[in-house]
Amino acid sequence: MNVQVVLVHGIRTSRTMWRSQLAHLAERDISAEAVDLPGHGSRMAETFTLDGAFTTIDDAVRDAATRGPVLLAGHSMGGLVSVAYAGSEAAPPVSAFIGASCTAFPRGAGLATYRTLARAFDSLPDRGMWLTNRVLRATIPEATRPDFAAGGYALDAQDIALGSLGALDLAADLERLTMPVWWINGQFDQLRMQERLFRRLAPHSELIVVPRTSHLVTAMRPRVFNALLDVAIATLDQKAPVQDAPRPS
C-alpha cells in the first residue's frame, strides 16, 4: 500500500501554504491532501473550534488510511493541533508524524504575550497587512511567497484559535506518540523554545533544525522541507510489511 500524506496548515493561512509540497508529492505520485481548518481558507465563514479542527483532521486521516499508511504533517498551530490528535487516547491511524515550527507549549505568559501582540498587529489600520507583506518579501522566495495569502488570511479566527490552544494537554499527548516523529524547526523560529522538552517527552523523535530559516520553514526552504518529507515517506516504505512471493503451483 502506498504512503498517504495529510497536511495541516498554521494559523491565519490555509491549505494553500502547502502548494510547493503538494506539487513535489504529485511529481512523485504520492497521494496527498491539505485540509482547511474551521475559520480558515475555504471555511472562513465558520468559527474555529478544537473539536472542529480534530474532526477535519480525523476525516482526512481515516479516509487516507483506507489506501495506505498515513504521514501526518502540521505547521505551527496546525502542528500543535496535530500533536494532540495523533497522541490522543483514541490512537488514530497515523503511521508517522512531522511537526514543523510547533515545539512550544501554548499556555501561560508565552501564549498571553503572543495573543497581545497579535491583537496589536490586528488593530493597525490595514490589520497589519502592509507589514506582513514586507516581511514575506524580505524572507520568502518569490516562487512560494504568494502561497500563504492565496486562500485568504483568517484574521477573524486568529484570537479565537490562539485562545483555544491553551486547553490542549500536549505533555500527555507527546508521551503517547509511538510512531516515527520528526520535529522540523527553522534556526530562528520563535517556537523552538521547548524543542528539547518535546524530545524528552517523545524520546524516539528526531529534531532537524534548518539553518538560516525562521518560522515559515515550509516556504523559506521548500526544497529542504520536501526532502524531509521524502525521508519520512521512505521510512514508512521500509516499515511496510513485505508480502510473501506466491508459491509455485
Side-chain angles (χ1 to χ4, degrees), residues 15 35 101 136:
R15 62 187 178 190
V35 301
S101 306
L136 291 178

Side-chain angles (χ1 to χ4, degrees), residues 194-215:
Q194 291 170 317
E195 60 188 20
R196 292 184 180 180
L197 179 54
F198 271 56
R199 285 211 64 202
R200 285 203 298 273
L201 292 170
H204 65 291
S205 64
E206 298 184 48
L207 172 64
I208 297 121
V209 178
V210 183
R212 304 181 304 281
T213 307
S214 63
H215 186 64

Side-chain angles (χ1 to χ4, degrees), residues 17 20-21 139-141 144-145 147-148 216-222 225:
M17 68 161 282
S20 175
Q21 285 69 47
T139 58
I140 306 296
T144 54
R145 195 179 303 153
D147 297 342
F148 279 85
L216 304 181
V217 60
T218 61
M220 287 187 73
R221 298 287 185 270
F225 194 87

